[in-house]
Amino acid sequence: MRRRKVIVITGGAGFLGSHLCERFIQDDYKVVCIDNLITGSMDNIKGLLKNKHFDFIKHDVSKEIKVPGAVHYILHFASLASPVDYLKYPIPTLKVGSLGAHNTLGLAKAKKARYLIASTSEVYGDPQEHPQKEDYWGHVNPVGPRGCYDESKRFQEAITMAYHRYHNIDTRIVRIFNTYGPRMRVNDGRVVPNFIHQALDNRPLTVYGKGKQTRSFCYVDDQIEGIVQLLHSKYTGPVNIGNPDEFTILDFAKLVIKTIGETKSKVIYEDLPVDDPLQRQPDIALAWKKLKWKPKVSIEEGLGYTIEWFKQKYV
Ligand code: UDP
């Protein structure tokens, strides 16, 4: 009988982490999910807990990590990804990005495992180049309120490359652009769960600023496929994974209202958060060149699946 490869997924009870756990179980791996449940939830992995190839360890990866036996792959996805969460927990955010990356890289070195970190479009800050290519160095305010997230992810990229160059660790870096889908927390504060929940409740949709800032939204299944392909590729430089379909936030609010259909919700305007990036759109030419990956799910389709999931879970 073929021995299963072992993959450690930090943040495995979170939004993307739990989809990755599921995917690697389907792909016949043994999955070790590590999460301190600060924003992750057991509900996200309840379907996996009885599987004998799935282990859950409740642990904060900014403290030393011990995993017995062989480990072939490590995905470091533990993080507080929503602005609302990282503004509430700035120090855990910095620690999981820095100490958590150091500990997981140390584990990769000890186990001779391939290592992939979840980086972010936020490394580009409030970008002055549009769309954003991987060779753009970014425009980040290190001392602003978002600095805790942005700089922890930039540090994470730097330490990953240092381990790659100095210790020959086999590394990958995915820069994840705004991703949405089932298992986002209803109260995580990001725009997709906020708007869907507000519209399903017939409450006004809270558009920050004038809603002229843009984001480009990727459905979770496309994102997971891109990450899996990157992990199995030979490319060590950072790769953008996202959907270039770009919307102003005001247009996106109108699209959510139109897609839900039955809602009485209108739009209200609230203050724009400090340092909120004005525009964001991934250039995904590199993902196509290196991985032959591009997103397949349209925003209408993806929003439809996500709304259905929110309806079943929260209404
Ligand atoms: N936003 C909004 N209303 C909300 C939540 C977010 O207008 O209720 C805006 C936010 O200011 C930002 C965009 O939507 O411009 C995306 O915000 P999100 O928190 O989802 O993620 P970000 O891309 O900023 O990390």
Side-chain angles (χ1 to χ4, degrees), residues 81-84 86 120-122 146 149-150 177-179 184 188-195 198 204-217 248-250 252-253 268 270-273 275-280:
S82 159
V84 170
Y86 61 71
T120 167
S121 53
E122 204 73 29
R146 293 175 93 99
Y149 184 70
D150 301 9
F177 281 66
N178 293 68
T179 299
M184 292 189 97
D188 95 347
R190 283 183 281 187
V191 69
V192 176
N194 269 11
F195 284 180
Q198 289 160 346
L205 272 60
T206 51
V207 169
Y208 300 160
K210 292 186 176 143
K212 287 192 175 153
Q213 70 276 31
T214 71
R215 294 294 186 273
S216 310
F217 298 101
T248 69
I249 292 301
L250 182 57
F252 185 65
I268 55 160
E270 293 190 352
D271 291 345
L272 189 65
D275 293 340
D276 197 291
L278 189 62
Q279 54 183 0
R280 182 181 293 158

Side-chain angles (χ1 to χ4, degrees), residues 3 13 15 29 110 122 156 281:
R3 273 226 148 150
F15 166 47
Y29 287 69
E122 204 73 29
Q156 201 174 63
Q281 184 190 37

Side-chain angles (χ1 to χ4, degrees), residues 36-215:
N36 66 353
L37 303 177
I38 186 170
T39 54
S41 143
M42 292 307 284
D43 207 34
N44 288 338
I45 51 170
K46 65 173 189 273
L48 296 171
L49 289 171
K50 285 201 181 124
N51 191 306
K52 66 175 182 183
H53 304 298
F54 180 80
D55 284 344
F56 172 70
I57 303 173
K58 184 170 183 294
H59 180 68
D60 176 354
V61 293
S62 52
K63 306 203 171 81
E64 191 190 351
I65 306 166
K66 290 201 179 97
V67 179
V71 174
H72 303 92
Y73 299 93
I74 298 171
L75 306 187
H76 183 35
F77 273 68
S79 187
L80 295 116
S82 159
V84 170
D85 292 333
Y86 61 71
L87 295 177
K88 189 165 160 203
Y89 299 108
I91 295 169
T93 301
L94 280 154
K95 283 169 83 172
V96 74
S98 54
L99 305 177
H102 186 214
N103 290 334
T104 47
L105 279 161
L107 187 67
K109 181 167 162 256
K111 304 284 186 181
K112 299 189 171 47
R114 183 175 293 179
Y115 181 84
L116 181 146
I117 49 158
S119 188
T120 167
S121 53
E122 204 73 29
V123 299
Y124 302 121
D126 189 6
Q128 293 176 319
E129 276 184 21
H130 194 73
Q132 292 79 52
K133 284 201 185 83
E134 288 82 349
D135 60 6
Y136 175 50
W137 291 354
H139 181 230
V140 170
N141 175 3
V143 294
R146 293 175 93 99
C148 62
Y149 184 70
D150 301 9
E151 296 296 4
S152 82
K153 291 288 185 178
R154 289 166 68 94
F155 175 86
Q156 201 174 63
E157 291 198 5
I159 192 173
T160 298
M161 289 313 294
Y163 266 71
H164 174 65
R165 293 194 182 107
Y166 190 75
H167 289 308
N168 274 322
I169 306 293
D170 188 15
T171 58
R172 308 285 182 273
I173 298 174
V174 57
R175 290 191 181 147
I176 297 170
F177 281 66
N178 293 68
T179 299
Y180 69 98
R183 302 210 188 121
M184 292 189 97
R185 268 168 37 236
V186 70
N187 59 348
D188 95 347
R190 283 183 281 187
V191 69
V192 176
N194 269 11
F195 284 180
I196 293 179
H197 196 220
Q198 289 160 346
L200 290 175
D201 268 0
N202 294 303
R203 287 181 286 126
L205 272 60
T206 51
V207 169
Y208 300 160
K210 292 186 176 143
K212 287 192 175 153
Q213 70 276 31
T214 71
R215 294 294 186 273

